[in-house]
Amino acid sequence: MNRQLTFISQRKTAMFERMLFSFVVAFFIYCQCVSGKVEAATEQRMDWKAGVASTVITPEQPMWMAGYAARNKPSEGKVHDLRAKAIAMEDAQGTRLVIVTVDLLGLSRSSRDWLEKEAGKLYNLPPEWLLLNASHTHCGPALHVTRYSIYGDSLCDQTPEQKQQSVQYLDDLHQKLLQLIGSAMEDLAPARLSYSHARAGFAMNRRSNTERGYQIQPNPDGPVDHDVPVLRIDSPDGKLRAVVFGYACHCTTMSFYEFCGDHAGFAQQYIEQAHPGVTALYVAGCGGDQNPYPRGGPRTLEYCREHGRALANGVETALTPRARPVAGPIRAAIDTVTLEFAEPPSREQLEEQIKSENKYQRAHAQTLLDELEQTGKIKTTYPYLVQVIDFGDDLTMIALAGEVVVDYSLRLKAELAGRPVWVAGYCNDVFGYLPSLRVLQEGGYESGGAMLYTPLPGPFAPSVEKLVIDKVHELVREVRTLKEN
Ligand SMILES: [Zn+2]
């Protein structure tokens, strides 16, 4: 009985061992398959090429500066060089995207149109694959773009020679940017892309409700977006080659007469110093209503360096964890949406405004009267550019034109939640502010007050936010449909 039991028990043990062995073998085979799939996926993710290029764009001579209408003389030296940079990325299908960043107040639609056309001819780069972003530093040169604009030069009392210098600078800049795109493409080499993000806290909402309406003052209770999105580019052996990073904040720590990239310039400098050979590209976010604080006073350059350090630290923090691999394919779309302005002032109102004590009001009224004279009407719409780029299922980049207030970034990230969403402002055409409906209704500088310093007639109509958001969603649907086909 005992022997029988022992025999049965031994048979059971042998069966169990065979089953266990079969299970281990099956599990091993399964693991090999899964690991093969993972390797295949990793390989696919590594199947990128990337190239970078950088060039100095600091004017060689003293030059009129852009950003503050009250400046009354040309620049006097520099804190550091202003730069233009480009990164080209090519997915496994050979589709190429180029992002160009500049340490300037903004690039106009006319610059975008010229570059788009020339890059199309020279490099066969379709418009949706070119993204331009300006850091919005207020310590860069004034570009001669329109007859009357805070983004150009005509608000200031420049001599004809100074105006000519500005025209020449812009012509040279166009050529440099075109070459830069080519250099980034020539630099294409196998790469890995990954995404991560961290935070930096020095941007504060700058719209405060006062007895005199909304004024530019620090508002600790206003909406902010402290996200620091980071796209990292490594060589296949894991060596860091470039970082593209963003932040939603005005580059307005400085307001002096020296060329300076403000906190965005310092942040790029610090990252490149910490990682020799790496190119750091700053992409301005929706910081239309965000200012760096503290700012101003005798210590302001020190604050500026500290903000730059805080932003660089944000990028370093984002580089610390294992970043999310970014796979292709890349898909992009760009389109204009026709934004409506509120009712423009009548001829009678403009003729009244032309007698104003305020020289900007006088100049704005004159600009609109001239438009009325030349075209018979004041423009009622604006062709607003929206661009969307999908990096596989791993990252969606939304590039909005103008000085975009933070509400757009917060809203789009919430509405497109489920994968990382990067919302950039100051892209492709810096023409003026893009207020949300809330900001438009509250009033103040970003709502329409700032239009006084542009050739545009006045505030946008209340349809502004819906039109932009609808266009973003339309393009997101378009690129995702493209990807499925
Ligand atoms: Zn601004």
Side-chain angles (χ1 to χ4, degrees), residues 398 407-419 421 465-466 468-470 472-473 476 480:
I398 296 160
D407 292 349
Y408 284 92
S409 165
L410 300 175
R411 178 171 172 182
L412 286 166
K413 284 187 203 179
E415 290 181 357
L416 293 166
R419 71 175 73 171
V421 174
E465 181 173 335
K466 185 177 186 317
V468 173
I469 296 284
D470 285 354
V472 170
H473 284 296
V476 167
R480 290 182 186 174

Side-chain angles (χ1 to χ4, degrees), residues 67 105 136 138 151 206 250-252 287-288 403 426 433 445:
L105 189 72
H136 201 50
H138 281 48
Y151 305 105
R206 68 178 199 183
H250 251 78
C251 264
T252 44
E403 303 209 37
Y426 300 90
Y433 282 85
Y445 189 74

Side-chain angles (χ1 to χ4, degrees), residues 253 263 294-297 299-308:
T253 327
H263 56 80
R295 65 194 281 261
R299 289 184 58 208
T300 197
L301 186 55
E302 201 179 318
Y303 298 146
C304 192
R305 287 196 174 96
E306 285 168 5
H307 298 330

Side-chain angles (χ1 to χ4, degrees), residues 344-361:
S346 65
R347 182 185 288 274
E348 292 69 36
Q349 285 168 321
L350 290 171
E351 278 165 356
E352 209 44 50
Q353 276 175 31
I354 215 160
K355 299 174 205 152
S356 164
E357 302 261 295
N358 180 327
K359 71 170 180 174
Y360 302 116
Q361 225 155 33

Side-chain angles (χ1 to χ4, degrees), residues 14-26:
M15 270 175 67
F16 177 72
E17 280 172 356
R18 275 201 301 275
M19 279 171 67
L20 186 67
F21 176 73
S22 305
F23 176 74
V24 168
V25 168

